[in-house]
Short mmCIF file of all heavy atoms in Angstrom, two decimals:
data_model
loop_
_atom_site.label_atom_id
_atom_site.label_comp_id
_atom_site.label_asym_id
_atom_site.label_seq_id
_atom_site.Cartn_x
_atom_site.Cartn_y
_atom_site.Cartn_z
N MET A 1 -4.12 -16.49 -2.07
CA MET A 1 -5.42 -16.07 -1.56
C MET A 1 -6.50 -16.31 -2.60
O MET A 1 -6.22 -16.39 -3.79
CB MET A 1 -5.41 -14.60 -1.16
CG MET A 1 -5.32 -13.65 -2.34
SD MET A 1 -5.22 -11.93 -1.83
CE MET A 1 -6.92 -11.62 -1.37
N LYS A 2 -7.73 -16.43 -2.12
CA LYS A 2 -8.85 -16.66 -3.04
C LYS A 2 -9.96 -15.66 -2.70
O LYS A 2 -10.30 -15.47 -1.54
CB LYS A 2 -9.34 -18.09 -2.89
CG LYS A 2 -10.46 -18.44 -3.85
CD LYS A 2 -10.59 -19.96 -3.97
CE LYS A 2 -11.84 -20.36 -4.78
NZ LYS A 2 -12.06 -19.58 -5.97
N VAL A 3 -10.48 -15.02 -3.73
CA VAL A 3 -11.51 -14.00 -3.55
C VAL A 3 -12.84 -14.52 -4.08
O VAL A 3 -12.91 -15.03 -5.21
CB VAL A 3 -11.15 -12.71 -4.31
CG1 VAL A 3 -12.19 -11.62 -4.03
CG2 VAL A 3 -9.77 -12.23 -3.94
N THR A 4 -13.87 -14.42 -3.27
CA THR A 4 -15.21 -14.76 -3.73
C THR A 4 -16.18 -13.68 -3.25
O THR A 4 -15.86 -12.88 -2.36
CB THR A 4 -15.68 -16.13 -3.19
OG1 THR A 4 -15.54 -16.13 -1.77
CG2 THR A 4 -14.88 -17.26 -3.78
N ILE A 5 -17.36 -13.67 -3.85
CA ILE A 5 -18.40 -12.72 -3.45
C ILE A 5 -19.65 -13.50 -3.07
O ILE A 5 -20.07 -14.40 -3.80
CB ILE A 5 -18.71 -11.74 -4.59
CG1 ILE A 5 -17.53 -10.79 -4.79
CG2 ILE A 5 -19.99 -10.94 -4.29
CD1 ILE A 5 -17.68 -9.84 -5.94
N ASP A 6 -20.20 -13.15 -1.94
CA ASP A 6 -21.48 -13.73 -1.52
C ASP A 6 -22.60 -12.92 -2.18
O ASP A 6 -22.92 -11.81 -1.76
CB ASP A 6 -21.59 -13.67 0.01
CG ASP A 6 -22.85 -14.37 0.52
OD1 ASP A 6 -23.82 -14.51 -0.26
OD2 ASP A 6 -22.86 -14.76 1.70
N ALA A 7 -23.15 -13.48 -3.25
CA ALA A 7 -24.16 -12.76 -4.03
C ALA A 7 -25.42 -12.46 -3.22
O ALA A 7 -26.17 -11.54 -3.55
CB ALA A 7 -24.52 -13.56 -5.27
N SER A 8 -25.63 -13.22 -2.16
CA SER A 8 -26.83 -12.97 -1.35
C SER A 8 -26.67 -11.71 -0.49
O SER A 8 -27.66 -11.18 0.02
CB SER A 8 -27.12 -14.17 -0.45
OG SER A 8 -26.16 -14.29 0.58
N LEU A 9 -25.42 -11.25 -0.35
CA LEU A 9 -25.16 -10.04 0.44
C LEU A 9 -24.90 -8.81 -0.42
O LEU A 9 -25.21 -7.69 -0.04
CB LEU A 9 -23.96 -10.26 1.36
CG LEU A 9 -24.10 -11.31 2.45
CD1 LEU A 9 -22.79 -11.47 3.23
CD2 LEU A 9 -25.23 -10.94 3.41
N CYS A 10 -24.31 -9.01 -1.61
CA CYS A 10 -23.93 -7.89 -2.47
C CYS A 10 -25.16 -7.08 -2.86
O CYS A 10 -26.19 -7.62 -3.27
CB CYS A 10 -23.24 -8.43 -3.72
SG CYS A 10 -22.87 -7.14 -4.95
N THR A 11 -25.03 -5.76 -2.76
CA THR A 11 -26.12 -4.86 -3.14
C THR A 11 -25.88 -4.20 -4.49
O THR A 11 -26.70 -3.41 -4.94
CB THR A 11 -26.27 -3.74 -2.08
OG1 THR A 11 -25.06 -2.98 -2.04
CG2 THR A 11 -26.57 -4.33 -0.71
N GLY A 12 -24.73 -4.51 -5.10
CA GLY A 12 -24.42 -3.88 -6.39
C GLY A 12 -24.07 -2.42 -6.27
O GLY A 12 -24.29 -1.64 -7.21
N CYS A 13 -23.48 -2.03 -5.15
CA CYS A 13 -23.20 -0.61 -4.90
C CYS A 13 -22.12 -0.05 -5.82
O CYS A 13 -21.96 1.15 -5.92
CB CYS A 13 -22.79 -0.40 -3.45
SG CYS A 13 -21.11 -0.94 -3.08
N SER A 14 -21.35 -0.91 -6.45
CA SER A 14 -20.33 -0.57 -7.45
C SER A 14 -18.97 -0.19 -6.87
O SER A 14 -18.03 0.05 -7.63
CB SER A 14 -20.80 0.54 -8.41
OG SER A 14 -20.62 1.82 -7.84
N LEU A 15 -18.88 -0.11 -5.57
CA LEU A 15 -17.62 0.34 -4.97
C LEU A 15 -16.43 -0.53 -5.38
O LEU A 15 -15.40 -0.02 -5.82
CB LEU A 15 -17.78 0.32 -3.44
CG LEU A 15 -16.86 1.23 -2.63
CD1 LEU A 15 -17.08 2.68 -3.02
CD2 LEU A 15 -17.12 1.06 -1.15
N CYS A 16 -16.57 -1.83 -5.27
CA CYS A 16 -15.42 -2.71 -5.51
C CYS A 16 -14.98 -2.67 -6.97
O CYS A 16 -13.79 -2.55 -7.26
CB CYS A 16 -15.70 -4.14 -5.07
SG CYS A 16 -17.08 -4.93 -5.92
N TYR A 17 -15.91 -2.73 -7.89
CA TYR A 17 -15.47 -2.75 -9.29
C TYR A 17 -15.11 -1.37 -9.82
O TYR A 17 -14.46 -1.25 -10.85
CB TYR A 17 -16.45 -3.50 -10.21
CG TYR A 17 -17.91 -3.20 -10.11
CD1 TYR A 17 -18.46 -2.10 -10.76
CD2 TYR A 17 -18.75 -4.04 -9.40
CE1 TYR A 17 -19.82 -1.85 -10.70
CE2 TYR A 17 -20.11 -3.80 -9.32
CZ TYR A 17 -20.64 -2.71 -9.97
OH TYR A 17 -21.99 -2.46 -9.90
N SER A 18 -15.52 -0.32 -9.12
CA SER A 18 -15.03 1.01 -9.46
C SER A 18 -13.60 1.20 -8.97
O SER A 18 -12.75 1.75 -9.67
CB SER A 18 -15.92 2.09 -8.84
OG SER A 18 -17.20 2.05 -9.38
N ASP A 19 -13.35 0.72 -7.75
CA ASP A 19 -12.03 0.92 -7.14
C ASP A 19 -10.99 -0.07 -7.67
O ASP A 19 -9.82 0.29 -7.82
CB ASP A 19 -12.12 0.76 -5.61
CG ASP A 19 -12.74 1.98 -4.95
OD1 ASP A 19 -12.99 2.97 -5.65
OD2 ASP A 19 -12.97 1.92 -3.72
N VAL A 20 -11.38 -1.30 -7.92
CA VAL A 20 -10.41 -2.33 -8.31
C VAL A 20 -10.95 -3.11 -9.52
O VAL A 20 -11.30 -4.30 -9.41
CB VAL A 20 -10.11 -3.30 -7.14
CG1 VAL A 20 -8.85 -4.12 -7.45
CG2 VAL A 20 -9.94 -2.56 -5.83
N PRO A 21 -11.00 -2.46 -10.67
CA PRO A 21 -11.56 -3.13 -11.86
C PRO A 21 -10.68 -4.26 -12.36
O PRO A 21 -11.13 -5.05 -13.20
CB PRO A 21 -11.65 -1.99 -12.88
CG PRO A 21 -10.64 -0.99 -12.43
CD PRO A 21 -10.61 -1.07 -10.93
N GLU A 22 -9.45 -4.36 -11.84
CA GLU A 22 -8.58 -5.47 -12.23
C GLU A 22 -9.06 -6.80 -11.63
O GLU A 22 -8.71 -7.87 -12.12
CB GLU A 22 -7.14 -5.22 -11.76
CG GLU A 22 -6.53 -3.91 -12.23
CD GLU A 22 -6.69 -2.78 -11.20
OE1 GLU A 22 -7.68 -2.80 -10.44
OE2 GLU A 22 -5.83 -1.89 -11.17
N VAL A 23 -9.83 -6.71 -10.55
CA VAL A 23 -10.25 -7.93 -9.84
C VAL A 23 -11.77 -8.13 -9.89
O VAL A 23 -12.25 -9.26 -9.96
CB VAL A 23 -9.79 -7.89 -8.36
CG1 VAL A 23 -10.32 -9.09 -7.57
CG2 VAL A 23 -8.26 -7.83 -8.28
N PHE A 24 -12.51 -7.02 -9.88
CA PHE A 24 -13.97 -7.11 -9.79
C PHE A 24 -14.61 -6.48 -11.03
O PHE A 24 -14.06 -5.57 -11.64
CB PHE A 24 -14.48 -6.39 -8.54
CG PHE A 24 -13.88 -6.88 -7.26
CD1 PHE A 24 -12.83 -6.19 -6.67
CD2 PHE A 24 -14.36 -8.02 -6.64
CE1 PHE A 24 -12.26 -6.64 -5.48
CE2 PHE A 24 -13.80 -8.48 -5.45
CZ PHE A 24 -12.75 -7.79 -4.88
N ALA A 25 -15.81 -6.95 -11.35
CA ALA A 25 -16.57 -6.37 -12.45
C ALA A 25 -18.05 -6.51 -12.12
O ALA A 25 -18.43 -7.25 -11.22
CB ALA A 25 -16.25 -7.08 -13.76
N MET A 26 -18.86 -5.76 -12.87
CA MET A 26 -20.30 -5.90 -12.69
C MET A 26 -20.80 -7.06 -13.55
O MET A 26 -20.45 -7.16 -14.73
CB MET A 26 -21.02 -4.62 -13.10
CG MET A 26 -22.50 -4.65 -12.77
SD MET A 26 -23.36 -3.10 -13.18
CE MET A 26 -23.46 -3.24 -14.95
N SER A 27 -21.60 -7.91 -12.97
CA SER A 27 -22.14 -9.03 -13.74
C SER A 27 -23.47 -8.63 -14.38
O SER A 27 -23.98 -7.53 -14.14
CB SER A 27 -22.33 -10.25 -12.82
OG SER A 27 -23.24 -9.93 -11.80
N ASP A 28 -24.01 -9.49 -15.19
CA ASP A 28 -25.23 -9.18 -15.92
C ASP A 28 -26.41 -8.87 -15.01
O ASP A 28 -27.32 -8.14 -15.40
CB ASP A 28 -25.60 -10.35 -16.84
CG ASP A 28 -24.60 -10.51 -17.97
OD1 ASP A 28 -23.87 -9.54 -18.26
OD2 ASP A 28 -24.55 -11.60 -18.56
N ASP A 29 -26.37 -9.42 -13.81
CA ASP A 29 -27.47 -9.18 -12.88
C ASP A 29 -27.30 -7.91 -12.06
O ASP A 29 -28.07 -7.63 -11.15
CB ASP A 29 -27.68 -10.39 -11.96
CG ASP A 29 -26.42 -10.74 -11.17
OD1 ASP A 29 -25.47 -9.94 -11.16
OD2 ASP A 29 -26.41 -11.82 -10.54
N GLY A 30 -26.24 -7.14 -12.36
CA GLY A 30 -26.03 -5.88 -11.66
C GLY A 30 -25.26 -6.01 -10.36
O GLY A 30 -25.00 -5.00 -9.70
N LEU A 31 -24.91 -7.21 -10.01
CA LEU A 31 -24.11 -7.43 -8.80
C LEU A 31 -22.64 -7.59 -9.19
O LEU A 31 -22.30 -7.70 -10.37
CB LEU A 31 -24.61 -8.68 -8.07
CG LEU A 31 -26.09 -8.65 -7.67
CD1 LEU A 31 -26.48 -9.95 -6.98
CD2 LEU A 31 -26.40 -7.45 -6.79
N ALA A 32 -21.78 -7.61 -8.19
CA ALA A 32 -20.35 -7.73 -8.46
C ALA A 32 -19.97 -9.18 -8.74
O ALA A 32 -20.60 -10.11 -8.24
CB ALA A 32 -19.56 -7.22 -7.27
N LYS A 33 -18.95 -9.34 -9.58
CA LYS A 33 -18.37 -10.67 -9.78
C LYS A 33 -16.86 -10.55 -9.73
O LYS A 33 -16.30 -9.46 -9.92
CB LYS A 33 -18.81 -11.27 -11.12
CG LYS A 33 -18.29 -10.52 -12.33
CD LYS A 33 -18.75 -11.20 -13.61
CE LYS A 33 -18.27 -10.42 -14.85
NZ LYS A 33 -18.74 -11.04 -16.10
N VAL A 34 -16.22 -11.65 -9.45
CA VAL A 34 -14.76 -11.69 -9.38
C VAL A 34 -14.22 -12.12 -10.74
O VAL A 34 -14.67 -13.12 -11.30
CB VAL A 34 -14.30 -12.68 -8.29
CG1 VAL A 34 -12.78 -12.81 -8.28
CG2 VAL A 34 -14.80 -12.23 -6.93
N ILE A 35 -13.28 -11.35 -11.29
CA ILE A 35 -12.72 -11.73 -12.58
C ILE A 35 -11.30 -12.29 -12.43
O ILE A 35 -10.79 -12.93 -13.35
CB ILE A 35 -12.75 -10.56 -13.59
CG1 ILE A 35 -12.08 -9.31 -13.04
CG2 ILE A 35 -14.19 -10.27 -13.99
CD1 ILE A 35 -11.98 -8.19 -14.07
N VAL A 36 -10.66 -12.00 -11.30
CA VAL A 36 -9.35 -12.62 -11.01
C VAL A 36 -9.47 -13.23 -9.61
O VAL A 36 -9.38 -12.53 -8.61
CB VAL A 36 -8.20 -11.60 -11.07
CG1 VAL A 36 -6.88 -12.27 -10.68
CG2 VAL A 36 -8.10 -10.98 -12.46
N ALA A 37 -9.69 -14.53 -9.55
CA ALA A 37 -10.04 -15.16 -8.27
C ALA A 37 -8.84 -15.33 -7.34
O ALA A 37 -9.01 -15.44 -6.13
CB ALA A 37 -10.66 -16.53 -8.53
N SER A 38 -7.64 -15.34 -7.91
CA SER A 38 -6.45 -15.52 -7.07
C SER A 38 -5.44 -14.42 -7.34
O SER A 38 -4.36 -14.68 -7.88
CB SER A 38 -5.82 -16.89 -7.34
OG SER A 38 -6.73 -17.91 -7.03
N PRO A 39 -5.77 -13.18 -6.98
CA PRO A 39 -4.84 -12.08 -7.24
C PRO A 39 -3.59 -12.20 -6.37
O PRO A 39 -3.63 -12.76 -5.27
CB PRO A 39 -5.65 -10.84 -6.87
CG PRO A 39 -6.66 -11.33 -5.89
CD PRO A 39 -6.97 -12.74 -6.29
N ALA A 40 -2.49 -11.68 -6.88
CA ALA A 40 -1.22 -11.72 -6.15
C ALA A 40 -0.64 -10.31 -6.05
O ALA A 40 -1.04 -9.41 -6.80
CB ALA A 40 -0.24 -12.65 -6.87
N GLY A 41 0.29 -10.16 -5.13
CA GLY A 41 1.02 -8.91 -5.01
C GLY A 41 0.12 -7.72 -4.74
O GLY A 41 -0.74 -7.77 -3.86
N ASP A 42 0.31 -6.68 -5.53
CA ASP A 42 -0.42 -5.43 -5.33
C ASP A 42 -1.93 -5.65 -5.50
O ASP A 42 -2.74 -5.05 -4.79
CB ASP A 42 0.08 -4.38 -6.33
CG ASP A 42 -0.50 -3.01 -6.04
OD1 ASP A 42 -0.54 -2.62 -4.86
OD2 ASP A 42 -0.92 -2.33 -6.99
N LEU A 43 -2.29 -6.52 -6.41
CA LEU A 43 -3.72 -6.79 -6.63
C LEU A 43 -4.35 -7.48 -5.44
O LEU A 43 -5.52 -7.23 -5.11
CB LEU A 43 -3.92 -7.64 -7.88
CG LEU A 43 -3.99 -6.91 -9.22
CD1 LEU A 43 -4.43 -7.87 -10.32
CD2 LEU A 43 -4.93 -5.73 -9.14
N ALA A 44 -3.59 -8.34 -4.79
CA ALA A 44 -4.09 -8.99 -3.59
C ALA A 44 -4.38 -7.96 -2.51
O ALA A 44 -5.40 -8.01 -1.82
CB ALA A 44 -3.09 -10.03 -3.09
N SER A 45 -3.48 -7.01 -2.39
CA SER A 45 -3.64 -5.95 -1.41
C SER A 45 -4.88 -5.10 -1.72
O SER A 45 -5.67 -4.76 -0.83
CB SER A 45 -2.38 -5.08 -1.40
OG SER A 45 -2.55 -3.98 -0.56
N LYS A 46 -5.06 -4.80 -3.00
CA LYS A 46 -6.24 -4.02 -3.40
C LYS A 46 -7.53 -4.79 -3.16
O LYS A 46 -8.54 -4.21 -2.77
CB LYS A 46 -6.13 -3.65 -4.89
CG LYS A 46 -5.09 -2.59 -5.19
CD LYS A 46 -5.11 -2.25 -6.68
CE LYS A 46 -4.18 -1.11 -7.01
NZ LYS A 46 -4.25 -0.76 -8.45
N ALA A 47 -7.49 -6.09 -3.40
CA ALA A 47 -8.68 -6.91 -3.18
C ALA A 47 -9.04 -6.92 -1.69
O ALA A 47 -10.21 -6.86 -1.32
CB ALA A 47 -8.46 -8.32 -3.70
N LYS A 48 -8.02 -6.99 -0.84
CA LYS A 48 -8.27 -6.97 0.60
C LYS A 48 -8.88 -5.63 1.01
O LYS A 48 -9.80 -5.58 1.83
CB LYS A 48 -6.97 -7.21 1.37
CG LYS A 48 -6.53 -8.66 1.36
CD LYS A 48 -5.24 -8.83 2.16
CE LYS A 48 -4.74 -10.25 2.07
NZ LYS A 48 -3.38 -10.41 2.61
N ASP A 49 -8.35 -4.55 0.44
CA ASP A 49 -8.90 -3.24 0.76
C ASP A 49 -10.36 -3.14 0.32
O ASP A 49 -11.20 -2.56 1.02
CB ASP A 49 -8.08 -2.14 0.07
CG ASP A 49 -6.72 -1.94 0.71
OD1 ASP A 49 -6.51 -2.44 1.84
OD2 ASP A 49 -5.87 -1.28 0.09
N ALA A 50 -10.66 -3.72 -0.84
CA ALA A 50 -12.04 -3.70 -1.33
C ALA A 50 -12.94 -4.49 -0.40
O ALA A 50 -14.08 -4.09 -0.12
CB ALA A 50 -12.10 -4.27 -2.74
N ALA A 51 -12.43 -5.62 0.11
CA ALA A 51 -13.22 -6.41 1.05
C ALA A 51 -13.48 -5.62 2.33
O ALA A 51 -14.61 -5.62 2.86
CB ALA A 51 -12.49 -7.72 1.38
N ASP A 52 -12.44 -4.93 2.80
CA ASP A 52 -12.62 -4.11 4.01
C ASP A 52 -13.62 -2.98 3.76
O ASP A 52 -14.34 -2.57 4.68
CB ASP A 52 -11.27 -3.50 4.43
CG ASP A 52 -10.33 -4.53 5.01
OD1 ASP A 52 -10.80 -5.61 5.41
OD2 ASP A 52 -9.11 -4.25 5.05
N GLY A 53 -13.65 -2.48 2.53
CA GLY A 53 -14.50 -1.34 2.23
C GLY A 53 -15.90 -1.69 1.77
O GLY A 53 -16.74 -0.81 1.63
N CYS A 54 -16.16 -2.96 1.54
CA CYS A 54 -17.49 -3.37 1.05
C CYS A 54 -18.54 -3.11 2.14
O CYS A 54 -18.47 -3.71 3.21
CB CYS A 54 -17.48 -4.84 0.66
SG CYS A 54 -19.14 -5.46 0.26
N PRO A 55 -19.50 -2.26 1.88
CA PRO A 55 -20.49 -1.93 2.91
C PRO A 55 -21.40 -3.10 3.27
O PRO A 55 -22.05 -3.07 4.31
CB PRO A 55 -21.29 -0.77 2.28
CG PRO A 55 -21.05 -0.87 0.82
CD PRO A 55 -19.70 -1.49 0.63
N ALA A 56 -21.43 -4.11 2.42
CA ALA A 56 -22.30 -5.26 2.69
C ALA A 56 -21.51 -6.46 3.20
O ALA A 56 -22.09 -7.54 3.39
CB ALA A 56 -23.04 -5.64 1.41
N THR A 57 -20.22 -6.29 3.40
CA THR A 57 -19.31 -7.38 3.79
C THR A 57 -19.55 -8.62 2.93
O THR A 57 -19.60 -9.74 3.43
CB THR A 57 -19.42 -7.73 5.29
OG1 THR A 57 -20.75 -8.16 5.59
CG2 THR A 57 -19.06 -6.55 6.16
N ALA A 58 -19.67 -8.39 1.64
CA ALA A 58 -19.99 -9.48 0.71
C ALA A 58 -18.74 -10.11 0.08
O ALA A 58 -18.84 -11.14 -0.56
CB ALA A 58 -20.90 -8.97 -0.40
N ILE A 59 -17.59 -9.45 0.23
CA ILE A 59 -16.36 -9.96 -0.38
C ILE A 59 -15.63 -10.83 0.63
O ILE A 59 -15.32 -10.38 1.74
CB ILE A 59 -15.45 -8.80 -0.84
CG1 ILE A 59 -16.20 -7.94 -1.86
CG2 ILE A 59 -14.15 -9.36 -1.45
CD1 ILE A 59 -15.45 -6.67 -2.25
N ILE A 60 -15.39 -12.05 0.24
CA ILE A 60 -14.77 -13.03 1.14
C ILE A 60 -13.34 -13.30 0.67
O ILE A 60 -13.12 -13.65 -0.51
CB ILE A 60 -15.58 -14.34 1.16
CG1 ILE A 60 -17.00 -14.04 1.64
CG2 ILE A 60 -14.90 -15.39 2.01
CD1 ILE A 60 -18.02 -15.02 1.13
N ILE A 61 -12.39 -13.12 1.56
CA ILE A 61 -10.99 -13.39 1.26
C ILE A 61 -10.55 -14.62 2.04
O ILE A 61 -10.65 -14.66 3.27
CB ILE A 61 -10.08 -12.21 1.69
CG1 ILE A 61 -10.55 -10.89 1.07
CG2 ILE A 61 -8.63 -12.51 1.39
CD1 ILE A 61 -10.20 -10.69 -0.36
N ALA A 62 -10.11 -15.63 1.33
CA ALA A 62 -9.58 -16.83 1.97
C ALA A 62 -8.09 -16.90 1.68
O ALA A 62 -7.66 -16.73 0.55
CB ALA A 62 -10.29 -18.06 1.44
N GLU A 63 -7.31 -17.11 2.71
CA GLU A 63 -5.85 -17.16 2.54
C GLU A 63 -5.41 -18.54 2.09
O GLU A 63 -6.08 -19.51 2.28
CB GLU A 63 -5.15 -16.81 3.86
CG GLU A 63 -5.49 -15.41 4.36
CD GLU A 63 -5.03 -14.30 3.42
OE1 GLU A 63 -4.09 -14.52 2.63
OE2 GLU A 63 -5.62 -13.20 3.48
S1 LIG B 101 -18.53 -3.31 -2.73
FE1 LIG B 101 -19.64 -5.10 -1.90
S2 LIG B 101 -21.83 -4.57 -2.06
FE2 LIG B 101 -20.69 -3.16 -3.39
S3 LIG B 101 -20.74 -4.12 -5.43
FE3 LIG B 101 -18.83 -4.78 -4.40
S4 LIG B 101 -19.34 -6.75 -3.39
FE4 LIG B 101 -21.28 -5.71 -3.90
#
């Protein structure tokens, strides 16, 4: 799987990088960035949960 963030949608709410700091982090511009683009196993599951929970639907998961 591949994780990306649509920066035009992200509001910087912090949810994803608070919940899954192994995959997401805050970038210099205050928005989220992906630090592990191809998570596997448990991390993949957490990344999917973060995508489901993103209030801006900014996290894109490609299989
Ligand atoms: S949960 Fe969504 S809107 Fe919030 S920081 Fe992460 S990508 Fe951005």
Side-chain angles (χ1 to χ4, degrees):
M1 70 183 284
K2 183 162 172 43
V3 184
T4 54
I5 290 176
D6 185 338
S8 70
L9 295 177
C10 174
T11 62
C13 76
S14 82
L15 203 60
C16 61
Y17 48 82
S18 295
D19 284 354
V20 195
E22 305 95 330
V23 175
F24 304 99
M26 187 178 75
S27 61
D28 292 341
D29 58 11
L31 303 178
K33 66 179 178 182
V34 176
I35 54 174
V36 177
S38 299
D42 189 44
L43 275 190
S45 175
K46 287 183 175 183
K48 284 181 185 170
D49 287 346
D52 288 341
C54 173
T57 61
I59 301 173
I60 300 154
I61 305 283
E63 299 297 336

